[in-house]
Amino acid sequence: YPPVLAKLGVVTGGGTQMGKDGKIAWVEIVMALADLDGALQFTRQQLRKLGAPPGSTLVYRVGDQQVREEIP
């Protein structure tokens, strides 16, 4: 379910980077959020459900501060 369906915000962009081995090295999803806490919880759940690899992280801003957290 995209975040907009959960009334948390909208996806505004994104991209991927392939590694030299041909596998996805990282994925970026850019979102404008209406509910940061709800969106973070939703995103963590969805990434785990979709099989995000170990070491995946969420990077987001709160005001001018960048926050990076590993998805357990």
Side-chain angles (χ1 to χ4, degrees):
Y1 298 94
V4 70
L5 294 180
K7 298 182 182 178
L8 301 171
V10 294
V11 175
T12 60
T16 59
Q17 177 66 48
M18 302 298 286
K20 291 181 182 181
D21 59 3
K23 295 182 181 180
I24 296 173
W26 56 264
V27 175
E28 175 182 61
I29 302 170
V30 181
M31 297 181 281
L33 303 174
D35 174 1
L36 179 61
D37 293 333
L40 289 172
Q41 180 178 347
F42 176 84
T43 303
R44 285 183 205 103
Q45 290 171 348
Q46 292 301 309
L47 290 172
R48 285 191 293 262
K49 186 179 189 180
L50 294 168
S56 294
T57 58
L58 290 174
V59 180
Y60 55 95
R61 289 191 177 279
V62 177
D64 290 335
Q65 182 180 0
Q66 180 173 313
V67 179
R68 177 180 296 270
E69 69 174 80
E70 190 168 325
I71 301 169

